[in-house]
Amino acid sequence: MIFTEEEKGVFVSKEPLSEKWFRRFMGAEDFLYDKCRYCLWLVDASPKELREMPRVLERIEQVRVFRQSSVKEATRDAANTPARFMEIKQPGSDYLMVPAVSSEKREYVPIGFLAKDVVASNLANYIADTSLYHFGVLTSSVHMAWMRAVAGRLEMRYRYSAAIVYNNFP
């Protein structure tokens, strides 16, 4: 269900009705390096609408088959809903994105506002219903010092987590 910009263009040219179901998809790497990916976001698609898009149905079937072949029980169970992401944590409002992993060489972890229609991947943290005040606190040198002191590590890179870094910030 994930597409590069080029793949999306080819797909939409062959399946024009699918264009309304594409959303920008962003994980930590996409955010940090300004990469552009898209996903088919079919949460609100009716069965009738899906039947009108045979190429989308093919993609859904590929997801179902892939999930069924998994060794993980939870993934196999998710084969029953192949048109949906396994984990949907999309906020209903604009949000701040905080990459889950960031280089230890950065003085500040890049944090930024995203529109609610940009789908956040599982490789990013998000904070919904935020303001410039929240942005200011999270990008402050005090918060960054806290993050460097308490965050987990992936190799040497910082692993920002809501449970450890954000929720415990004094």
Side-chain angles (χ1 to χ4, degrees):
M1 299 298 217
I2 310 296
F3 296 76
T4 64
E5 195 163 14
E6 183 180 324
E7 291 167 338
K8 174 194 172 231
V10 170
F11 193 89
V12 169
S13 72
K14 295 177 181 176
E15 187 78 87
L17 293 176
S18 69
E19 185 161 27
K20 95 176 216 184
W21 300 105
F22 276 95
R23 283 195 180 181
R24 182 90 188 261
F25 181 76
M26 193 168 296
E29 187 172 330
D30 306 305
F31 180 75
L32 292 170
Y33 300 105
D34 198 27
K35 293 184 178 183
C36 191
R37 293 192 298 164
Y38 294 88
C39 68
L40 273 172
W41 188 254
L42 303 170
V43 172
D44 297 321
S46 71
K48 179 186 180 294
E49 289 170 307
L50 292 174
R51 283 192 298 273
E52 294 171 351
M53 300 181 289
R55 291 188 184 277
V56 170
L57 287 176
E58 286 174 22
R59 275 289 180 131
I60 291 170
E61 179 60 17
Q62 290 171 353
V63 171
R64 186 186 66 73
V65 169
F66 175 80
R67 289 178 180 176
Q68 283 178 329
S69 67
S70 176
V71 296
K72 291 183 178 180
E73 184 178 352
T75 305
R76 288 193 309 273
D77 289 345
N80 296 324
T81 54
R84 296 177 59 97
F85 280 53
M86 284 181 55
E87 184 180 321
I88 296 178
K89 59 178 189 174
Q90 190 60 22
S93 65
D94 293 351
Y95 60 97
L96 279 175
M97 177 171 277
V98 182
V101 177
S102 185
S103 172
E104 74 282 2
K105 296 176 184 174
R106 287 191 176 94
E107 188 174 348
Y108 292 89
V109 172
I111 296 172
F113 284 97
L114 293 180
K116 66 182 176 183
D117 62 339
V118 177
V119 177
S121 87
N122 64 331
L123 298 176
N125 299 293
Y126 71 85
I127 306 158
D129 299 318
T130 57
S131 67
L132 285 174
Y133 173 80
H134 296 103
F135 178 77
V137 170
L138 293 176
T139 57
S140 71
S141 60
V142 172
H143 183 74
M144 291 299 140
W146 173 259
M147 186 273 311
R148 283 190 290 278
V150 301
R153 297 290 181 127
L154 181 62
E155 297 165 349
M156 289 304 295
R157 296 170 287 167
Y158 296 116
R159 180 99 175 154
Y160 191 104
S161 90
I164 297 170
V165 180
Y166 181 80
N167 290 344
N168 294 313
F169 183 57

PDB file of all heavy atoms in Angstrom, residues 1 40-45 50 60 63 67 78-88:
ATOM      1  N   MET A   1       0.812  -1.201   0.000  1.00  0.00           N
ATOM      2  CA  MET A   1       0.000   0.000   0.000  1.00  0.00           C
ATOM      3  C   MET A   1       0.854   1.263   0.000  1.00  0.00           C
ATOM      4  O   MET A   1       0.318   2.349   0.008  1.00  0.00           O
ATOM      5  CB  MET A   1      -0.922   0.030   1.218  1.00  0.00           C
ATOM      6  CG  MET A   1      -1.891  -1.128   1.258  1.00  0.00           C
ATOM      7  SD  MET A   1      -2.990  -1.110  -0.150  1.00  0.00           S
ATOM      8  CE  MET A   1      -4.472  -1.663   0.596  1.00  0.00           C
ATOM      9  N   LEU A  40      -2.062   4.176  -0.090  1.00  0.00           N
ATOM     10  CA  LEU A  40      -3.491   4.059  -0.335  1.00  0.00           C
ATOM     11  C   LEU A  40      -4.156   4.024   1.034  1.00  0.00           C
ATOM     12  O   LEU A  40      -3.937   3.093   1.806  1.00  0.00           O
ATOM     13  CB  LEU A  40      -3.805   2.773  -1.106  1.00  0.00           C
ATOM     14  CG  LEU A  40      -3.734   2.867  -2.615  1.00  0.00           C
ATOM     15  CD1 LEU A  40      -3.863   1.491  -3.249  1.00  0.00           C
ATOM     16  CD2 LEU A  40      -4.781   3.817  -3.158  1.00  0.00           C
ATOM     17  N   TRP A  41      -4.930   5.041   1.347  1.00  0.00           N
ATOM     18  CA  TRP A  41      -5.588   5.162   2.641  1.00  0.00           C
ATOM     19  C   TRP A  41      -7.071   4.868   2.407  1.00  0.00           C
ATOM     20  O   TRP A  41      -7.838   5.732   2.016  1.00  0.00           O
ATOM     21  CB  TRP A  41      -5.367   6.567   3.186  1.00  0.00           C
ATOM     22  CG  TRP A  41      -5.825   6.754   4.589  1.00  0.00           C
ATOM     23  CD1 TRP A  41      -6.929   7.430   4.995  1.00  0.00           C
ATOM     24  CD2 TRP A  41      -5.193   6.274   5.774  1.00  0.00           C
ATOM     25  NE1 TRP A  41      -7.023   7.403   6.367  1.00  0.00           N
ATOM     26  CE2 TRP A  41      -5.966   6.690   6.868  1.00  0.00           C
ATOM     27  CE3 TRP A  41      -4.045   5.518   6.014  1.00  0.00           C
ATOM     28  CZ2 TRP A  41      -5.637   6.389   8.181  1.00  0.00           C
ATOM     29  CZ3 TRP A  41      -3.721   5.224   7.314  1.00  0.00           C
ATOM     30  CH2 TRP A  41      -4.498   5.655   8.386  1.00  0.00           C
ATOM     31  N   LEU A  42      -7.443   3.626   2.640  1.00  0.00           N
ATOM     32  CA  LEU A  42      -8.775   3.137   2.270  1.00  0.00           C
ATOM     33  C   LEU A  42      -9.722   3.016   3.460  1.00  0.00           C
ATOM     34  O   LEU A  42     -10.729   2.309   3.384  1.00  0.00           O
ATOM     35  CB  LEU A  42      -8.630   1.784   1.564  1.00  0.00           C
ATOM     36  CG  LEU A  42      -7.733   1.800   0.318  1.00  0.00           C
ATOM     37  CD1 LEU A  42      -7.458   0.388  -0.171  1.00  0.00           C
ATOM     38  CD2 LEU A  42      -8.349   2.657  -0.770  1.00  0.00           C
ATOM     39  N   VAL A  43      -9.422   3.696   4.538  1.00  0.00           N
ATOM     40  CA  VAL A  43     -10.202   3.585   5.766  1.00  0.00           C
ATOM     41  C   VAL A  43     -11.685   3.859   5.518  1.00  0.00           C
ATOM     42  O   VAL A  43     -12.548   3.153   6.020  1.00  0.00           O
ATOM     43  CB  VAL A  43      -9.640   4.527   6.856  1.00  0.00           C
ATOM     44  CG1 VAL A  43     -10.541   4.570   8.073  1.00  0.00           C
ATOM     45  CG2 VAL A  43      -8.234   4.095   7.239  1.00  0.00           C
ATOM     46  N   ASP A  44     -11.996   4.874   4.733  1.00  0.00           N
ATOM     47  CA  ASP A  44     -13.394   5.258   4.507  1.00  0.00           C
ATOM     48  C   ASP A  44     -13.941   4.773   3.163  1.00  0.00           C
ATOM     49  O   ASP A  44     -15.046   5.168   2.771  1.00  0.00           O
ATOM     50  CB  ASP A  44     -13.539   6.781   4.591  1.00  0.00           C
ATOM     51  CG  ASP A  44     -13.187   7.317   5.969  1.00  0.00           C
ATOM     52  OD1 ASP A  44     -13.547   6.649   6.961  1.00  0.00           O
ATOM     53  OD2 ASP A  44     -12.553   8.379   6.058  1.00  0.00           O
ATOM     54  N   ALA A  45     -13.195   3.953   2.461  1.00  0.00           N
ATOM     55  CA  ALA A  45     -13.656   3.464   1.151  1.00  0.00           C
ATOM     56  C   ALA A  45     -14.745   2.411   1.339  1.00  0.00           C
ATOM     57  O   ALA A  45     -14.581   1.467   2.111  1.00  0.00           O
ATOM     58  CB  ALA A  45     -12.488   2.881   0.364  1.00  0.00           C
ATOM     59  N   LEU A  50     -14.511   0.309  -3.813  1.00  0.00           N
ATOM     60  CA  LEU A  50     -13.375  -0.586  -4.042  1.00  0.00           C
ATOM     61  C   LEU A  50     -13.611  -1.463  -5.268  1.00  0.00           C
ATOM     62  O   LEU A  50     -12.692  -1.702  -6.056  1.00  0.00           O
ATOM     63  CB  LEU A  50     -13.111  -1.445  -2.807  1.00  0.00           C
ATOM     64  CG  LEU A  50     -12.590  -0.693  -1.585  1.00  0.00           C
ATOM     65  CD1 LEU A  50     -12.515  -1.619  -0.380  1.00  0.00           C
ATOM     66  CD2 LEU A  50     -11.250  -0.046  -1.862  1.00  0.00           C
ATOM     67  N   ILE A  60      -4.927  -4.979  -2.673  1.00  0.00           N
ATOM     68  CA  ILE A  60      -5.507  -5.467  -1.422  1.00  0.00           C
ATOM     69  C   ILE A  60      -5.300  -6.979  -1.313  1.00  0.00           C
ATOM     70  O   ILE A  60      -4.938  -7.491  -0.245  1.00  0.00           O
ATOM     71  CB  ILE A  60      -6.999  -5.092  -1.329  1.00  0.00           C
ATOM     72  CG1 ILE A  60      -7.139  -3.578  -1.158  1.00  0.00           C
ATOM     73  CG2 ILE A  60      -7.685  -5.836  -0.190  1.00  0.00           C
ATOM     74  CD1 ILE A  60      -8.566  -3.068  -1.298  1.00  0.00           C
ATOM     75  N   VAL A  63      -1.757  -7.779  -0.343  1.00  0.00           N
ATOM     76  CA  VAL A  63      -1.551  -7.552   1.090  1.00  0.00           C
ATOM     77  C   VAL A  63      -2.102  -8.742   1.884  1.00  0.00           C
ATOM     78  O   VAL A  63      -1.461  -9.235   2.808  1.00  0.00           O
ATOM     79  CB  VAL A  63      -2.217  -6.230   1.545  1.00  0.00           C
ATOM     80  CG1 VAL A  63      -2.207  -6.105   3.060  1.00  0.00           C
ATOM     81  CG2 VAL A  63      -1.507  -5.035   0.914  1.00  0.00           C
ATOM     82  N   ARG A  67       0.171 -11.099   4.257  1.00  0.00           N
ATOM     83  CA  ARG A  67      -0.105 -11.224   5.688  1.00  0.00           C
ATOM     84  C   ARG A  67      -0.382 -12.675   6.084  1.00  0.00           C
ATOM     85  O   ARG A  67       0.026 -13.118   7.154  1.00  0.00           O
ATOM     86  CB  ARG A  67      -1.277 -10.329   6.085  1.00  0.00           C
ATOM     87  CG  ARG A  67      -0.928  -8.850   6.064  1.00  0.00           C
ATOM     88  CD  ARG A  67      -2.120  -7.988   6.422  1.00  0.00           C
ATOM     89  NE  ARG A  67      -1.771  -6.576   6.408  1.00  0.00           N
ATOM     90  CZ  ARG A  67      -2.637  -5.600   6.611  1.00  0.00           C
ATOM     91  NH1 ARG A  67      -3.913  -5.877   6.872  1.00  0.00           N
ATOM     92  NH2 ARG A  67      -2.250  -4.345   6.571  1.00  0.00           N
ATOM     93  N   ALA A  78      -4.476 -10.052  10.717  1.00  0.00           N
ATOM     94  CA  ALA A  78      -4.731  -8.820   9.969  1.00  0.00           C
ATOM     95  C   ALA A  78      -5.019  -9.090   8.492  1.00  0.00           C
ATOM     96  O   ALA A  78      -5.460  -8.188   7.777  1.00  0.00           O
ATOM     97  CB  ALA A  78      -3.549  -7.863  10.108  1.00  0.00           C
ATOM     98  N   ALA A  79      -4.805 -10.319   8.034  1.00  0.00           N
ATOM     99  CA  ALA A  79      -5.164 -10.680   6.659  1.00  0.00           C
ATOM    100  C   ALA A  79      -6.673 -10.573   6.451  1.00  0.00           C
ATOM    101  O   ALA A  79      -7.142 -10.477   5.313  1.00  0.00           O
ATOM    102  CB  ALA A  79      -4.672 -12.088   6.334  1.00  0.00           C
ATOM    103  N   ASN A  80      -7.444 -10.572   7.529  1.00  0.00           N
ATOM    104  CA  ASN A  80      -8.903 -10.432   7.432  1.00  0.00           C
ATOM    105  C   ASN A  80      -9.332  -9.009   7.074  1.00  0.00           C
ATOM    106  O   ASN A  80     -10.469  -8.794   6.667  1.00  0.00           O
ATOM    107  CB  ASN A  80      -9.566 -10.839   8.750  1.00  0.00           C
ATOM    108  CG  ASN A  80      -9.348 -12.297   9.053  1.00  0.00           C
ATOM    109  OD1 ASN A  80      -9.334 -13.136   8.160  1.00  0.00           O
ATOM    110  ND2 ASN A  80      -9.159 -12.617  10.324  1.00  0.00           N
ATOM    111  N   THR A  81      -8.432  -8.051   7.247  1.00  0.00           N
ATOM    112  CA  THR A  81      -8.725  -6.648   6.904  1.00  0.00           C
ATOM    113  C   THR A  81      -7.579  -6.075   6.066  1.00  0.00           C
ATOM    114  O   THR A  81      -6.899  -5.133   6.481  1.00  0.00           O
ATOM    115  CB  THR A  81      -8.913  -5.800   8.179  1.00  0.00           C
ATOM    116  OG1 THR A  81      -7.755  -5.963   9.009  1.00  0.00           O
ATOM    117  CG2 THR A  81     -10.166  -6.193   8.938  1.00  0.00           C
ATOM    118  N   PRO A  82      -7.351  -6.635   4.878  1.00  0.00           N
ATOM    119  CA  PRO A  82      -6.171  -6.234   4.092  1.00  0.00           C
ATOM    120  C   PRO A  82      -6.231  -4.826   3.504  1.00  0.00           C
ATOM    121  O   PRO A  82      -5.206  -4.311   3.076  1.00  0.00           O
ATOM    122  CB  PRO A  82      -6.129  -7.285   2.979  1.00  0.00           C
ATOM    123  CG  PRO A  82      -7.551  -7.704   2.815  1.00  0.00           C
ATOM    124  CD  PRO A  82      -8.143  -7.648   4.195  1.00  0.00           C
ATOM    125  N   ALA A  83      -7.383  -4.201   3.505  1.00  0.00           N
ATOM    126  CA  ALA A  83      -7.479  -2.845   2.962  1.00  0.00           C
ATOM    127  C   ALA A  83      -7.092  -1.792   3.990  1.00  0.00           C
ATOM    128  O   ALA A  83      -7.006  -0.612   3.672  1.00  0.00           O
ATOM    129  CB  ALA A  83      -8.905  -2.577   2.461  1.00  0.00           C
ATOM    130  N   ARG A  84      -6.846  -2.227   5.199  1.00  0.00           N
ATOM    131  CA  ARG A  84      -6.504  -1.298   6.283  1.00  0.00           C
ATOM    132  C   ARG A  84      -5.078  -1.547   6.770  1.00  0.00           C
ATOM    133  O   ARG A  84      -4.604  -2.675   6.757  1.00  0.00           O
ATOM    134  CB  ARG A  84      -7.460  -1.490   7.456  1.00  0.00           C
ATOM    135  CG  ARG A  84      -8.899  -1.148   7.127  1.00  0.00           C
ATOM    136  CD  ARG A  84      -9.813  -1.426   8.294  1.00  0.00           C
ATOM    137  NE  ARG A  84      -9.444  -0.676   9.485  1.00  0.00           N
ATOM    138  CZ  ARG A  84      -9.994   0.468   9.857  1.00  0.00           C
ATOM    139  NH1 ARG A  84     -10.946   0.991   9.143  1.00  0.00           N
ATOM    140  NH2 ARG A  84      -9.604   1.090  10.956  1.00  0.00           N
ATOM    141  N   PHE A  85      -4.448  -0.494   7.218  1.00  0.00           N
ATOM    142  CA  PHE A  85      -3.145  -0.645   7.857  1.00  0.00           C
ATOM    143  C   PHE A  85      -3.334  -1.465   9.127  1.00  0.00           C
ATOM    144  O   PHE A  85      -4.384  -1.392   9.766  1.00  0.00           O
ATOM    145  CB  PHE A  85      -2.567   0.718   8.206  1.00  0.00           C
ATOM    146  CG  PHE A  85      -1.919   1.428   7.050  1.00  0.00           C
ATOM    147  CD1 PHE A  85      -2.587   1.622   5.857  1.00  0.00           C
ATOM    148  CD2 PHE A  85      -0.627   1.906   7.165  1.00  0.00           C
ATOM    149  CE1 PHE A  85      -1.990   2.275   4.797  1.00  0.00           C
ATOM    150  CE2 PHE A  85      -0.019   2.558   6.111  1.00  0.00           C
ATOM    151  CZ  PHE A  85      -0.699   2.747   4.928  1.00  0.00           C
ATOM    152  N   MET A  86      -2.329  -2.222   9.501  1.00  0.00           N
ATOM    153  CA  MET A  86      -2.440  -3.043  10.704  1.00  0.00           C
ATOM    154  C   MET A  86      -2.578  -2.183  11.947  1.00  0.00           C
ATOM    155  O   MET A  86      -3.288  -2.523  12.873  1.00  0.00           O
ATOM    156  CB  MET A  86      -1.230  -3.965  10.843  1.00  0.00           C
ATOM    157  CG  MET A  86      -1.287  -5.140   9.903  1.00  0.00           C
ATOM    158  SD  MET A  86       0.117  -6.248  10.063  1.00  0.00           S
ATOM    159  CE  MET A  86       0.096  -6.672  11.777  1.00  0.00           C
ATOM    160  N   GLU A  87      -1.872  -1.104  11.969  1.00  0.00           N
ATOM    161  CA  GLU A  87      -1.898  -0.212  13.125  1.00  0.00           C
ATOM    162  C   GLU A  87      -2.265   1.180  12.640  1.00  0.00           C
ATOM    163  O   GLU A  87      -1.502   1.808  11.913  1.00  0.00           O
ATOM    164  CB  GLU A  87      -0.522  -0.188  13.785  1.00  0.00           C
ATOM    165  CG  GLU A  87      -0.451   0.616  15.034  1.00  0.00           C
ATOM    166  CD  GLU A  87       0.942   0.595  15.649  1.00  0.00           C
ATOM    167  OE1 GLU A  87       1.597  -0.450  15.641  1.00  0.00           O
ATOM    168  OE2 GLU A  87       1.355   1.656  16.130  1.00  0.00           O
ATOM    169  N   ILE A  88      -3.429   1.638  13.023  1.00  0.00           N
ATOM    170  CA  ILE A  88      -3.864   2.974  12.620  1.00  0.00           C
ATOM    171  C   ILE A  88      -3.815   3.860  13.852  1.00  0.00           C
ATOM    172  O   ILE A  88      -4.532   3.640  14.820  1.00  0.00           O
ATOM    173  CB  ILE A  88      -5.275   2.956  12.011  1.00  0.00           C
ATOM    174  CG1 ILE A  88      -5.261   2.139  10.716  1.00  0.00           C
ATOM    175  CG2 ILE A  88      -5.748   4.387  11.759  1.00  0.00           C
ATOM    176  CD1 ILE A  88      -6.602   2.017  10.046  1.00  0.00           C
TER     177      ILE A  88
END
